[in-house]
């Protein structure tokens, strides 16, 4: 079992930056696929960013590409999401997710991830 705890969310003005953290325990996730998803009120959970388990390449949704950066610190068993130039439409609950065995084509599908954090609220106001 893997336990994930997100932190770093908050209320910020549009244009500001936030850094989300996702600390894992229970197992070492250094070889896992890791991802961030978000869910706004009344909307489905959507893919934000991921690091594939093989090779460590990063993937982003078009809406955040160039503004957000996903990274991981294997020594700390932690995943990060650096969010710059936040927009009001980025407002959502952000979740981290990990899975040991995803193939590349499944990275953006939330149903494929076995482990989830509880979420952290990010609100960017204009």
């Amino acid at each position: 079992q893997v336990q994930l705890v997100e932190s770093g969310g908050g209320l910020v003005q549009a244009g500001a930056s936030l850094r989300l953290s996702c600390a894992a325990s229970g197992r070492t996730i250094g070889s896992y696929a890791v991802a961030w998803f978000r869910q706004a009120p009344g909307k489905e959970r959507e893919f934000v960013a991921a690091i594939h388990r093989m090779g460590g390449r990063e993937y982003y949704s078009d809406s955040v590409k160039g503004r957000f950066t996903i990274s991981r610190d294997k020594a700390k068993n932690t995943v990060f999401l650096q969010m710059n130039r936040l927009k009001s439409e980025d407002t959502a609950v952000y979740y981290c997710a990990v899975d040991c065995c995803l193939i590349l084509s499944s990275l953006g599908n939330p149903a494929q991830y076995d482990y989830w954090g509880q979420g952290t609220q990010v609100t960017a106001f204009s």
Side-chain angles (χ1 to χ4, degrees):
Q1 291 293 325
V2 178
Q3 293 78 44
L4 302 172
V5 178
E6 300 102 333
S7 60
L11 177 66
V12 297
Q13 196 165 15
S17 298
L18 282 174
R19 189 190 194 206
L20 305 184
S21 299
C22 173
S25 60
R27 290 182 184 173
T28 300
I29 62 168
S31 62
Y32 281 39
V34 296
W36 289 93
F37 290 81
R38 67 187 181 186
Q39 189 166 18
K43 295 188 177 181
E44 293 186 351
R45 192 164 297 189
E46 67 168 344
F47 170 77
V48 174
I51 299 176
H52 191 226
R53 62 187 180 91
M54 303 293 290
R57 183 176 173 180
E58 302 164 19
Y59 297 85
Y60 298 94
S61 68
D62 288 342
S63 61
V64 307
K65 197 174 296 181
R67 298 188 297 121
F68 291 11
T69 303
I70 186 172
S71 62
R72 67 162 123 205
D73 185 328
K74 291 185 179 181
K76 296 182 178 179
N77 217 29
T78 299
V79 183
F80 302 99
L81 185 68
Q82 177 67 43
M83 306 185 294
N84 298 329
R85 303 195 307 278
L86 281 161
K87 304 176 182 180
S88 57
E89 51 263 44
D90 295 319
T91 295
V93 177
Y94 283 71
Y95 299 89
C96 67
V98 304
D99 194 275
C100 69
C101 310
L102 286 184
I103 60 175
L104 181 59
S105 61
S106 296
L107 275 184
N109 184 351
Q112 298 296 317
Y113 287 80
D114 281 342
Y115 302 105
W116 290 85
Q118 82 288 352
T120 185
Q121 176 71 44
V122 171
T123 303
F125 63 93
S126 299

